[in-house]
Amino acid sequence: MSNGPRGGSSRGGSYRAKKRLGQNFLANPAVIQEIVAGSGIEENDLVIEIGPGMGALTEPAADAAGRLVAIELDSDLVPVLRSKFALRDDIEIIEGDILETDVRRLIEEQKEKDPSLGAVRVIGNLPYYITTPIIMKLLEDEVPAASITIMMQKEVAERICASPGGKDYGALSIACQYHCTVSEVCDAFAEDFRPQPKVDSKVLRLDLREEKAASPKDEKLYFDVVKAGFSQRRKTLSNCLAGLCGSKAEAAGILEAAGIDPSRRAETLSMEEFARVADEIYEM
Ligand code: SAM
């Protein structure tokens, strides 16, 4: 079997996937269909695709949408994509790094050009080595999207969906669930890709909330508390928050004032409980 995706490009199977760019191309039409259907794209929507690769998701997603703009880092793939979609004026391929792209500005420009465009839907089969930075960037930049539907390594998806009390629950779960409601779209397995990855995958849909899941007085401080809380998972909250609060004793005092036992660990706290701790620090 060649390294190229099944029927994925004008060059057939001659393209050699680049491991360093996380290139595992989708080769199962059923999975592609599930992702597009599960992403909730509607006729007039603007789709932003991250890492189109050979365009396996690009065409069906564009068919369902009003316009699709894809950002691809690999300069070898950009001309392949541009020639493949040369006759489609509703598909635009941008060469660039998603982590360096001003996605808010990109969306503004698209909407200025065509004010009739509807909701913004972000989709992608992400390069797994930068899944978390991509998600965090989209959330922290408050990209004005209705939803983000992305394929990722199964273990990362489990961390995103985790509830308090388990080993998977952490800063990533809170960041995603604070900004979004999270639902599972489908699973994918090694044989669904060319070349085959060594891990299983899952597609999640993150629907951006109109109101965040907690209402801390200072959002930046809230996430500083979450980050500090999970900085040493085995330690108690009073230990983890000592640096942020001045000392372990001060941290214990703040936690007690927030109604939280200082000997608890971060992984047991709900998003609202973290907000109570952050608000006590804020009031200090
Ligand atoms: N969407 C295609 C598919 O499903 O067949 C390709 C998915 S492949 C897992 C990830 C794609 O992201 C590759 O085409 C890779 O070149 C691209 N990529 C890697 N890093 C990127 C970055 N920082 N910005 C944009 N694209 C990137």
Side-chain angles (χ1 to χ4, degrees):
M1 193 83 188
S2 82
N3 268 340
R6 279 185 212 147
S9 93
S10 53
R11 289 197 223 163
S14 66
Y15 178 80
R16 286 185 72 81
K18 297 183 180 87
K19 237 184 181 175
R20 69 185 163 80
L21 292 181
Q23 292 183 348
N24 299 99
F25 300 111
L26 265 168
N28 182 342
V31 175
I32 293 167
Q33 214 181 347
E34 276 192 87
I35 298 174
V36 174
S39 65
I41 300 170
E42 289 182 12
E43 226 180 318
N44 215 24
D45 288 350
L46 168 63
V47 174
I48 306 292
E49 185 184 3
I50 302 169
M54 303 285 244
L57 270 175
T58 313
E59 193 158 25
D63 288 345
R67 180 165 180 77
L68 181 146
V69 179
I71 299 135
E72 173 57 59
L73 180 61
D74 187 345
S75 56
D76 290 334
L77 287 179
V78 169
V80 176
L81 287 161
R82 287 193 179 139
S83 105
K84 183 170 179 178
F85 299 122
L87 297 177
R88 302 261 327 224
D89 56 11
D90 59 336
I91 298 180
E92 183 177 339
I93 309 295
I94 294 178
E95 181 176 340
D97 181 341
I98 185 64
L99 294 175
E100 303 292 325
T101 303
D102 185 343
V103 182
R104 288 184 70 95
R105 182 79 206 112
L106 176 68
I107 292 168
E108 271 167 30
E109 283 165 3
Q110 294 295 322
K111 291 216 161 186
E112 273 163 24
K113 270 193 258 171
D114 183 357
S116 74
L117 285 170
V120 177
R121 309 266 172 199
V122 178
I123 64 162
N125 167 17
L126 296 186
Y128 290 173
Y129 67 107
I130 46 168
T131 297
T132 302
I134 292 174
I135 295 173
M136 292 310 296
K137 175 187 159 61
L138 295 171
L139 298 179
E140 284 169 2
D141 289 355
E142 305 233 355
V143 166
S147 66
I148 303 171
T149 302
I150 38 183
M151 168 95 77
M152 63 194 80
Q153 191 173 330
K154 188 174 153 223
E155 287 73 15
V156 178
E158 284 166 354
R159 283 167 49 209
I160 288 176
C161 298
S163 305
K167 69 172 175 41
D168 289 330
Y169 182 66
L172 181 63
S173 332
I174 293 182
C176 291
Q177 295 174 32
Y178 176 87
H179 290 283
C180 310
T181 57
V182 182
S183 52
E184 293 189 16
V185 173
C186 64
D187 291 318
F189 305 96
E191 56 272 23
D192 296 321
F193 303 87
R194 297 289 178 274
Q196 297 192 1
K198 291 197 173 69
V199 295
D200 287 333
S201 305
K202 199 179 262 303
V203 180
L204 292 184
R205 173 165 157 182
L206 281 63
D207 282 279
L208 278 289
R209 295 178 186 273
E210 277 178 20
E211 272 182 40
K212 309 284 163 65
S215 22
K217 292 186 171 131
D218 179 332
E219 197 171 277
K220 184 187 172 302
L221 177 62
Y222 175 75
F223 282 105
D224 285 346
V225 172
V226 170
K227 209 167 143 193
F230 286 104
S231 59
Q232 294 161 290
R233 291 188 73 101
R234 286 163 179 265
K235 296 210 169 166
T236 62
L237 274 169
S238 55
N239 270 308
C240 293
L241 299 184
L244 203 62
C245 300
S247 69
K248 186 177 169 185
E250 280 175 281
I254 284 167
L255 286 160
E256 272 160 8
I260 312 274
D261 179 343
S263 67
R264 282 173 66 184
R265 293 194 169 83
E267 68 200 40
T268 68
L269 259 64
S270 66
M271 287 191 277
E272 293 78 10
E273 287 178 310
F274 269 113
R276 285 200 334 245
V277 178
D279 287 352
E280 282 300 327
I281 298 175
Y282 179 84
E283 296 296 349
M284 240 169 41

